[in-house]
Amino acid sequence: MTRFAFFVLSSAPAWAAFCSTDPSPVVPRHDFQFFAGYSPISSTLIGTTTDRRFLIAGFGYSYRCWTWPGVSISHSGELMPAAVLVQPGQYLPQYVGPDAVYGFAITPLGFTFDFGRRHSFYPFLQTNEGIIASSEPIPINVTGATGLNFLIDVGGGVRIKAGQRSAISLGYKFLHISNGFTSAVNPGVDNNVFYAGFSILR
């Protein structure tokens, strides 16, 4: 967490060089968030693997770069020390019982769109892209599958200001994991993640 925070904070001056001047400079630009989420079911919008559950917990950072009276756009990134895919019993071809595959994910490329942020309760949209490394190949542990995959999510939610320097977020992410056809086996898995986060604003 310390190295992650150092990286994003040291990068902020570079972003500021091409960011717009904030019409409300007293409003914090740095957002440090702690979040946790759970996907109770997997879909097949992009991926083909079914009956998977997904648990995430981690830290996020965003720097509000472009601002207008009613909308702002932030650079965002997330670090997930816990990204766990829960799998059912399956035949591979031998039977393997239900298990939870531990993963570590980082999504350094992301953007957050806030609407009406001057209000105490307002909506947002967000997308993040990065990679996830797992203790074994996911979403199916078969020959040709990989334990290093790409991770892309898109979603949104609402933010509730809890004070001048804090906020609570409630949201949803459609989160897709696959190896992008870097190997012959690429089943992919889609997760419907519902999450909550607490932000410290600076």
Side-chain angles (χ1 to χ4, degrees), residues 64-184:
R64 187 161 42 82
C65 186
W66 295 285
T67 61
W68 297 272
V71 182
S72 68
I73 303 175
S74 303
H75 288 280
S76 60
E78 295 178 343
L79 181 69
M80 290 173 270
V84 182
L85 186 69
V86 181
Q87 305 183 131
Q90 52 194 319
Y91 290 90
L92 301 172
Q94 74 283 359
Y95 179 77
V96 177
D99 68 337
V101 182
Y102 171 80
F104 180 95
I106 183 170
T107 56
L109 179 61
F111 294 94
T112 301
F113 302 80
D114 292 316
F115 303 93
R117 61 184 174 82
R118 294 182 178 179
H119 300 288
S120 58
F121 181 92
Y122 61 88
F124 67 89
L125 297 175
Q126 187 177 57
T127 180
N128 293 286
E129 293 77 34
I131 58 174
I132 177 172
S134 305
S135 57
E136 65 182 55
I138 60 172
I140 304 174
N141 189 3
V142 295
T143 302
T146 62
L148 183 64
N149 290 274
F150 298 106
L151 184 155
I152 300 173
D153 71 57
V154 60
V158 294
R159 171 163 288 195
I160 306 165
K161 293 181 180 179
Q164 290 293 326
R165 298 292 177 176
S166 61
I168 296 171
S169 298
L170 301 174
Y172 163 83
K173 297 183 180 190
F174 173 80
L175 192 153
H176 174 72
I177 298 173
S178 73
N179 61 40
F181 294 100
T182 55
S183 74

